Structures are given as C-alpha cells and as structure tokens.
Amino acid sequence: MKYDIILAGVGGQGVLSLASVIATAAAKAGFKVRQSEVHGMAQRGGAVMAHMRLADGEIFSDLIGQGTADMVISMEPLESLRYLPWLSPEGILVTSITPVKNISNYPEESQIMEALSELPSVRLVDDKALAKEAGSSRAGNMVIVGAASANLPLGMKHLKAAVDSLFSRKGEAVVQANYKALDLGSHIS
C-alpha cells in the first residue's frame, strides 16, 4: 500500500503543522513516511508546499510524480489549482474555500470556484467558519485534516494522538480545540 499527498497553502496558514499531524499519525499507525517541503517566502505569505508519501513498504523517493498523487490538500483555493497537475485522475482535492489575496492580480473568486467545482472529486471546506466553531480561529488546518480524514489510510484515533503529541505543550484548551476542529471537518463529505 502507498498513499501520496501534496500539501499546499501560503505562509502562516499552518500547512507544515497540518503535514506534521498527518506524518505523525501515519508513523503511529505503522506506516513509513517520507516528506519533502518547499517553504518559498512563507513568512511573507508566499507559497508553501510539501510532498508526503505514506507506505507499508520501502519508499524510494521523497517526491511525487505529476498525475500520481492520491490527494491534494490545500489551505488556499488558488494554491489548490496550482498543484492539480500532480493529482491522479482518481485522486481527490480537499481545499479551503477562503482565499488569501496576496497578489495584485488574484483571479476572481467565482472563476476559481467554478474551476474547482468542475473537478471529478473535490471537497470544498469553509475551514474558517468551522475553526471558529471549534473555538480557535487558528485551527483551520485541523478542519482541513478532518475533511480529508475519510480518504486518508489513517484512523481518527491516530490523528488525535498526533494532535495530542504536537499541541499538548500549548495546553489542554488548544488540544481540545484542535480535536473539535478535526471532528467538525470529518463531518464534511
């Protein structure tokens, strides 16, 4: 078994925390994990992306070939379109619907949503609203992980264990808000 994921977003959205939760959960579930990250100008709102590969056997490369990813997870709708060439025809896109307009020629949101809605398998997520409902406006990345969870080869038990190990130093309230964000995201299908 192998499962390849492209993770995307812009600096400050928690893309690398999102990747860390999935990678930690996968390791706890007994998978081998390889990851490669590109940070770009992340601190200035630049692109952030990662290739993540999970397998029950040897993984020979950190990078995912175009047209072969099982999933693209994105924290920003325009960034999700940028990485569609990596998505397999049978793959799924899970993306936030909240734009980060960090460039002067950002396309019309209606054009982006139209392009996304034409994909054969897409899950559009209002992560900002659900993160607020979870009690932390910063938990949008965990809402996205929850929305992707039904297609990941991991159980919620492993995802929550990963949240606990990564956020417990920030206090119980942060852990509980992230658990709730995962749960709210998992109800999106």
Side-chain angles (χ1 to χ4, degrees), residues 118-187:
E118 292 174 359
L119 296 172
S121 186
V122 62
R123 194 164 295 142
L124 302 173
V125 183
D126 188 352
D127 59 308
K128 300 300 179 217
L130 292 174
K132 282 184 184 174
E133 186 178 333
S136 172
S137 60
R138 300 180 68 183
N141 55 354
M142 293 304 108
V143 171
I144 296 290
V145 173
S149 65
N151 294 83
L152 291 172
L154 308 167
M156 188 60 81
K157 168 183 90 172
H158 295 296
L159 290 170
K160 287 189 174 180
V163 164
D164 188 53
S165 68
L166 293 170
F167 295 111
S168 62
R169 66 182 164 80
K170 295 183 178 182
E172 186 60 23
V174 172
V175 171
Q176 290 303 319
N178 281 288
Y179 283 169
K180 188 169 182 183
L182 275 173
D183 287 336
L184 289 170
S186 72
H187 295 126

Side-chain angles (χ1 to χ4, degrees), residues 71-153:
M71 180 181 286
V72 172
I73 298 176
S74 179
M75 292 294 301
E76 206 284 330
L78 185 58
E79 289 297 317
S80 70
L81 292 176
R82 181 196 306 250
Y83 295 102
L84 283 181
W86 273 265
L87 190 61
S88 152
E90 297 80 30
I92 182 170
L93 169 67
V94 178
T95 185
S96 168
I97 61 168
T98 306
V100 177
K101 297 182 178 179
N102 55 0
I103 54 176
S104 60
N105 59 347
Y106 195 95
E108 289 293 323
E109 289 178 50
S110 60
Q111 292 175 314
I112 296 170
M113 288 303 130
E114 183 178 329
L116 292 172
S117 67
E118 292 174 359
L119 296 172
S121 186
V122 62
R123 194 164 295 142
L124 302 173
V125 183
D126 188 352
D127 59 308
K128 300 300 179 217
L130 292 174
K132 282 184 184 174
E133 186 178 333
S136 172
S137 60
R138 300 180 68 183
N141 55 354
M142 293 304 108
V143 171
I144 296 290
V145 173
S149 65
N151 294 83
L152 291 172

